Amino acid sequence: MSTVHQPDPKDRPARLTIGVVGAGRVGPALAASLQLAGHRPVAVSGVSDASRRRAAQLLPDVPIVPPAEVLGRADLVLLTVPDDALPGLVEGLAETGAVRPGQLLVHTSGRYGSKVLDPVLRVGGLPLALHPAMTFTGTPVDVQRLAGCSFGVTAPEELRLAAEALVIEMGGEPEWIAEENRPLYHAALALGANHLVTLVAQSMELLRTAGVEAPDRMLGPLLGAALDNALRSGDSALTGPVARGDAGTVAAHVTELRKHAPQTVAGYLAMARATADRALAHGLLKPELAEDLLGVLADGTDGTNGIEGDAR
């Protein structure tokens, strides 16, 4: 049974015509989700062939038109462009008179709150920041993944209920983020999700080098359990040679990485140092074992005589 809170009918937005400016991986999926809730996509803008293909797949029969025409047709416009392009797009739309009074302008950037939409607010637009905390593939599976997905929501107080209602209609869970906290919020998500992809990809490459034929099958259960344990127990879920203080094992790791994948050493050492600090702070790493371990992490040796320690 879904635990998503359903809004009071009086707080639900009226059925809206939906436009998308920027047919990347996010915009068409959100528009398709809103369509399932009864809203009507009417226009989308996209330049690249990939964007047009995504729009055609997720929003069939919705015309592809220039951005200004999207705003001319839609009650609610999703501005789903890269973070660095968003301020310039907003300024341009406001200066050219494309924004209508009472029109909802929704951006999906994690970095920005609603202040980046001040130019449209000054010409009568209604600004909302709705950031789905999800990775997108640009395929129909994204619409399904929005069910239960948290959204970072920032909006003027008078628009808060409307913003949260739109998220709930997409099957998401609204999480209110203060304007000044948006960069920190986004950094936290990038640290967890984006860096996770890099770590997993590196791990699979190393397993292939070690002769493992199906690294994805090997890692799937392990990483699934590690993620579940971390979400349930936080730092108490730490395991492995760093948390145990196995300096010799860590030194052996560093030696092998320098030999087979030197590009991974800096990341391994940085993450191991962070793990050691957290393990110490939470009483998992014994202080008497920490000195040799930290020596290894400082220079990749056994911390005493520059010779690789024995794996334990």
Side-chain angles (χ1 to χ4, degrees), residues 22-177:
R25 296 182 179 183
V26 179
L30 297 188
S33 183
L34 288 169
Q35 185 175 35
L36 292 175
H39 301 289
R40 184 166 61 92
V42 293
V44 58
S45 72
V47 177
S48 69
D49 290 340
S51 295
R52 290 171 176 267
R53 284 194 299 270
R54 275 191 292 267
Q57 183 180 29
L58 287 164
L59 302 171
D61 302 322
V62 175
I64 298 176
V65 300
E69 192 169 341
V70 173
L71 270 72
R73 299 186 183 195
D75 302 318
L76 182 152
V77 180
L78 298 169
L79 304 177
T80 51
V81 297
D83 289 358
D84 288 351
L86 182 61
L89 172 66
V90 172
E91 288 279 0
L93 293 174
E95 290 175 359
T96 58
V99 180
R100 303 193 309 273
Q103 189 171 41
L104 288 162
L105 278 295
V106 178
H107 80 70
T108 59
S109 165
R111 170 185 171 186
Y112 293 109
S114 59
K115 289 291 186 184
V116 72
L117 296 173
D118 276 355
V120 303
L121 178 63
R122 289 193 290 269
V123 295
L126 305 179
L128 307 176
L130 308 180
H131 175 251
M134 178 57 63
T135 59
F136 287 79
T137 64
T139 67
V141 71
D142 296 331
V143 180
Q144 302 170 22
R145 287 179 174 173
L146 288 173
C149 168
S150 291
F151 280 67
V153 177
T154 307
E157 185 63 33
E158 61 272 20
L159 295 175
R160 179 168 179 162
L161 288 178
E164 293 177 343
L166 284 168
V167 169
I168 291 168
E169 286 197 319
M170 288 185 281
E173 293 276 7
E175 186 74 39
W176 190 257
I177 308 295

Side-chain angles (χ1 to χ4, degrees), residues 239-251 253 268 275 285 289 293 312:
T239 62
V242 172
R244 292 192 300 267
D246 289 343
T249 297
V250 173
H253 289 177
Y268 179 95
T275 300
L285 174 59
L289 298 177
L293 175 67
R312 289 188 261 171

